[in-house]
Structures are given as structure tokens and as C-alpha cells.
Amino acid sequence: MSDNEDGVPDIYVGWMREALLMAEEALNGGEVPVGCVFVRDNTIIAKARNRTNELRNATRHAELEAIDSILADKSLTPQVTQYPLCDTTLYVTVEPCIMCASALRQLGIKEVYYGCGNDRFGGCGSVLGVNSELQHPKHSGYNAVGGYCREEAIMMLRRFYITENTNAPVPRSKANRVLKTEIIPVTHDSDSANKVL
């Protein structure tokens, strides 16, 4: 497995690029641009994007959309088991929210790689460490690492948030907003490193 100039394995970047394609699809569909791929044995077994506006259901995050397709496919989950994702890795453009991080833990995800942090709802450390910091009597934690294609994920979110969200209960006028292109580099001593906007 070769690494790029940042020391990141090329295969991880490749999987994240697939997740970014799903996020772009979400953006084009008027959704918050989050996309993901689930990988098992070096093969994508599921990919999805946010569909909350389309389905008018706040639980239809990319991760849960993909999980539903995995659990519904008998070839991907031939046996009923407590941890059907124990040999599966998730690549997602934005840190999983608290809801998704909890679902991933309950299903035994092997590990998670994400693009940018989620300073409002992050469940893998930005707001709450549902993935491993919180103790649970039954479900083991999982490792979650951010920063993969971080700049691309941030810019996609920014592109969404400068547009009018006609699906919002009370849409805010954003006519005077300008797309910011400067991204603060990640530093280990700054909580602002993962901020999106």
C-alpha cells in the first residue's frame, strides 16, 4: 500500500473520493452534502448520501441509508449477528453525528475515517466521543480518524451553506453571503481546526 506526500495511504484517499462523489450527489439534490462508503475486503459494499430533505425524515443520514442497504442484502449479512459491521470500515466526508456514531457502535463497525469534523453534532470527539470515549456495558468502542480529504469536504459544505435552503422551516436570506475559500490548517492545540464555516 503506497502513501501520498502527506503520509496518508492512497487507498484511503481513493475510498474517500468515492464518498465525496456521493456528497456531490447530495449537494446536487439539495441535501447537506455528506456521502459515505462502507468497505469490506477492499470492496465497496454500500454507498449512500444524505436524503433528509428528499424523504422528509431527519434520520436519513448517509450512514444510516447505507446501513439499511447492507442489512437488507442477505449476501452482505448472510447470518444474523450482533455485530454485522465488525469487519467493515466506513469512509464518510463529515464526522458522524451523535446518532450515527451510536448506531455504528451498536453494529460493531471496525473503524471510521472521515473528512472534516462536525463541531455542532459530532459523535466521534468533536462534541461527544460516542465512538470510544463514552463507556458502554455492552458495545466496544471503535477508532475514528479525521482529516482525509478534509479541505474538499469543508468546501462542499460551504457551497451548500451559502445557498438558500428552501426546505428549511424558516429559510434565511443568504443573498449577501460569499463563499469563503480559506481553510484553517489542522493544529493539535486548537479546537477550531475542525470548524467548517
Side-chain angles (χ1 to χ4, degrees):
M1 182 177 343
S2 63
D3 294 351
N4 63 23
E5 65 270 1
D6 297 325
V8 176
D10 288 337
I11 188 100
Y12 293 5
V13 174
W15 299 132
M16 191 60 73
R17 295 244 177 263
E18 292 292 326
L20 285 164
L21 290 174
M22 296 306 299
E24 186 74 39
E25 186 178 304
L27 179 66
N28 293 335
E31 301 281 354
V32 175
V34 177
C36 70
V37 297
F38 283 76
V39 176
R40 182 184 295 157
D41 298 326
N42 285 320
T43 302
I44 294 175
I45 62 167
K47 55 186 173 180
R49 64 174 180 83
N50 275 3
R51 295 179 66 205
T52 59
N53 291 333
E54 175 188 343
L55 299 175
R56 297 177 183 255
N57 182 336
T59 68
R60 298 294 72 205
H61 290 192
E63 299 94 326
L64 297 182
E65 284 285 303
I67 288 168
D68 284 353
S69 71
I70 293 168
L71 297 179
D73 187 335
K74 298 289 187 210
S75 69
L76 298 175
T77 54
Q79 300 175 16
V80 175
T81 176
Q82 183 175 5
Y83 298 117
L85 300 180
C86 66
D87 56 356
T88 307
T89 299
L90 168 65
Y91 296 85
V92 61
T93 58
V94 178
E95 174 188 2
C97 71
I98 293 167
M99 171 183 69
C100 292
S102 178
L104 292 164
R105 187 166 180 174
Q106 291 174 55
L107 293 168
I109 193 77
K110 180 179 174 184
E111 57 196 348
V112 173
Y113 296 96
Y114 61 89
C116 63
N118 182 343
D119 64 335
R120 291 186 178 181
F121 309 108
C124 295
S126 289
V127 174
L128 201 58
V130 174
N131 65 307
S132 63
E133 294 170 15
L134 296 179
Q135 294 299 313
H136 194 282
K138 187 173 183 180
H139 304 297
S140 298
Y142 59 88
N143 192 36
V145 181
Y148 295 87
C149 300
R150 176 180 173 269
E151 291 79 12
E152 293 96 323
I154 289 172
M155 286 307 299
M156 203 169 298
L157 288 168
R158 286 181 180 174
R159 285 172 42 212
F160 174 79
Y161 284 115
I162 65 164
T163 63
E164 305 283 336
N165 182 358
T166 57
N167 295 308
V170 182
R172 294 186 204 156
S173 175
K174 298 182 182 178
N176 296 327
R177 290 220 176 157
V178 176
L179 180 63
K180 295 188 293 184
T181 58
E182 180 184 0
I183 297 175
I184 300 169
V186 175
T187 59
H188 297 292
D189 60 341
S190 172
D191 288 334
S192 65
N194 280 326
K195 292 195 191 256
V196 173
L197 303 173

